[in-house]
Amino acid sequence: METEVIHIKDENDLAEATGVAASLLHSGEAVAFPTETVYGLGADALNPEAVAKIFAAKNRPADNPLIVHLTDQSQLDGLVSDIPPIARTLMSAFWPGQLSLVLPKKATVPDITTGGLGTVVVRCPQHPTARTLLERFGGPIAAPSANLSGKVSPTRAAHVLEDMQGRIPLILEDDAGVTGGLESTVVDCTTEPLTILRPGSVTEEMLREYAPDITVAQSNSPQRSPGMKYQHYAPTAPVTLFLGEETATAEAIARQVAKHKPGTVVCIWHTGDFPTNTHSIRLPVSTGAAASVIFAALRRADQLHPQHIFIQGYPTMGVGTAIMNRLQKAATTTISC
Ligand code: TXA
Ligand code: MG
């Protein structure tokens, strides 16, 4: 199949492009669109054959459920059977935005959308293209990140095309609004206290203001997201992640680089003096700014076909926790300095 890319530059393009995408969704196709976190691969959440096309295009395991995207809270009645008051509080505080909530599902949501679980994850995105598409379509849109399963989530239309060319009919391109760069925070509202299943830009500290006793799922706990057990964010080359204080990690990376032939490794770093005789991708020191470019850096590193990728870790505070969660999954080895 031919994959068309429609670039959205202004309001006219937005109206026209989302009209084309909405009719494809109505005819049961899967289309890629930007959200403020990462690009999503969307289909009609209530149409099992349409949702099956998402799983096929991504090679996604059937037991890894999808996030259902909504225009606003009014669409929840058709999808979920119970909304605890704390879930309403979080929606009022963070929607539209980078927070997804696990709630008990109604029978209207097909099993394929939720991987057979009795719960469904819902999110109301903020990106204007995502919002306009949801309004034009008029119903809930199931959308995982628009990468091949196991690969790095796409933050540019070009990344989606790399993975999805020939697999889907349409990509809506509007990179400017992809400001978050990490997938949304996932919070389970069916547990007491609430549980953070996946860290994101809506941080534990931010959630704690509304849910003081919220907990974080341990990586081996049974209630974690099904998706967290799969290999993720994996460049082709082995990735070593360096943990610790910045001067120590910079020095340790320099020592490792010295052991390799010039130009055969890629360093992804943010602080310190780095060797000049190899590929290096410099990231912002601030974790807020780094979050929006980290996935693009992983994809760029991969395209240089190195023998090894070395990454300098960030402090695990605030958004740094979410960045390090993704980098730990990308890493084949971690070294504490
Ligand atoms: O920012 C985002 O969340 C992006 C954009 C497109 O909205 N979407 C996204 O979807 O990251 P995906 O499928 O790549 O990640 C969804 C995560 C997976 O780890 C999945 O296992 C988990 O949410 N999940 C989905 N339904 C669940 C459920 N009912 N219970 C627990 N975890 C669930
Ligand atoms: Mg994903």
Side-chain angles (χ1 to χ4, degrees):
M1 132 186 4
E2 281 276 305
T3 302
E4 188 188 0
V5 181
I6 306 183
H7 180 56
I8 298 171
K9 297 176 298 301
D10 55 31
E11 290 290 317
N12 281 343
D13 294 343
L14 180 63
E16 207 176 301
T18 51
V20 176
S23 34
L24 282 166
L25 292 176
H26 279 298
S27 59
E29 294 298 327
V31 302
F33 62 96
T35 84
E36 74 278 19
T37 57
V38 301
Y39 273 79
L41 179 57
D44 180 349
L46 305 182
N47 175 347
E49 288 87 43
V51 173
K53 292 193 180 159
I54 296 177
F55 282 90
K58 279 181 62 86
N59 281 336
R60 187 174 173 103
D63 69 346
N64 192 3
L66 309 180
I67 295 179
V68 174
H69 296 68
L70 314 172
T71 45
D72 54 45
Q73 293 188 41
S74 69
Q75 285 180 318
L76 285 168
D77 285 346
L79 304 171
V80 304
S81 57
D82 178 45
I83 307 174
I86 183 66
R88 286 277 185 206
T89 304
L90 294 181
M91 289 171 200
S92 305
F94 297 106
W95 280 10
Q98 305 180 38
L99 179 68
S100 297
L101 302 174
V102 182
L103 292 166
K105 85 172 184 84
K106 278 191 175 161
T108 39
V109 185
D111 280 346
I112 185 170
T113 304
T114 63
L117 296 176
T119 53
V120 61
V121 175
V122 286
R123 168 162 115 83
C124 175
Q126 192 171 37
H127 192 295
T129 300
R131 297 194 64 72
T132 310
L133 178 61
L134 279 159
E135 277 156 24
R136 296 291 290 263
F137 177 61
I141 299 178
S145 49
N147 51 285
L148 283 173
S149 198
K151 292 289 172 193
V152 180
S153 293
T155 50
R156 312 247 200 288
H159 302 163
V160 181
L161 196 63
E162 269 166 33
D163 284 13
M164 290 297 152
Q165 184 144 40
R167 293 173 163 263
I168 57 172
L170 179 65
I171 300 170
L172 298 184
E173 175 178 13
D174 183 0
D175 294 346
V178 186
T179 50
L182 297 174
E183 308 88 345
S184 61
T185 306
V186 178
V187 171
D188 191 347
C189 297
T190 68
T191 59
E192 224 174 302
L194 304 188
T195 315
I196 299 173
L197 300 182
R198 179 173 72 181
S201 295
V202 174
T203 63
E204 181 183 347
E205 293 85 341
M206 289 157 75
L207 291 162
R208 213 168 272 292
E209 275 193 40
Y210 302 90
D213 54 357
I214 196 164
T215 59
V216 181
Q218 296 310 309
S219 52
N220 55 359
S221 86
Q223 71 200 18
R224 70 194 184 142
S225 268
M228 301 306 261
K229 69 175 180 276
Y230 293 107
Q231 169 80 43
H232 260 83
Y233 314 109
T236 312
V239 173
T240 303
L241 177 61
F242 291 77
L243 310 178
E245 188 271 321
E246 287 144 1
T247 321
T249 50
E251 284 170 10
I253 292 176
R255 281 196 299 276
Q256 287 295 324
V257 169
K259 293 181 192 164
H260 288 75
K261 272 207 216 137
T264 59
V265 300
V266 177
C267 296
I268 300 178
W269 60 286
H270 52 85
T271 306
D273 291 326
F274 271 74
T276 47
N277 64 344
T278 195
H279 302 288
S280 106
I281 299 173
R282 184 163 196 178
L283 295 179
V285 175
S286 133
T287 49
S292 63
V293 291
I294 188 86
F295 287 160
L298 288 175
R299 280 190 181 250
R300 218 173 97 214
D302 214 15
Q303 280 170 349
L304 293 166
H305 303 295
Q307 284 170 11
H308 217 114
I309 299 171
F310 296 131
I311 308 181
Q312 186 177 32
Y314 279 92
T316 46
M317 280 177 328
V319 184
T321 305
I323 293 178
M324 290 305 285
N325 168 272
R326 308 309 192 270
L327 291 181
Q328 296 270 12
K329 288 188 202 312
T332 26
T333 316
T334 52
I335 294 183
S336 297
C337 303

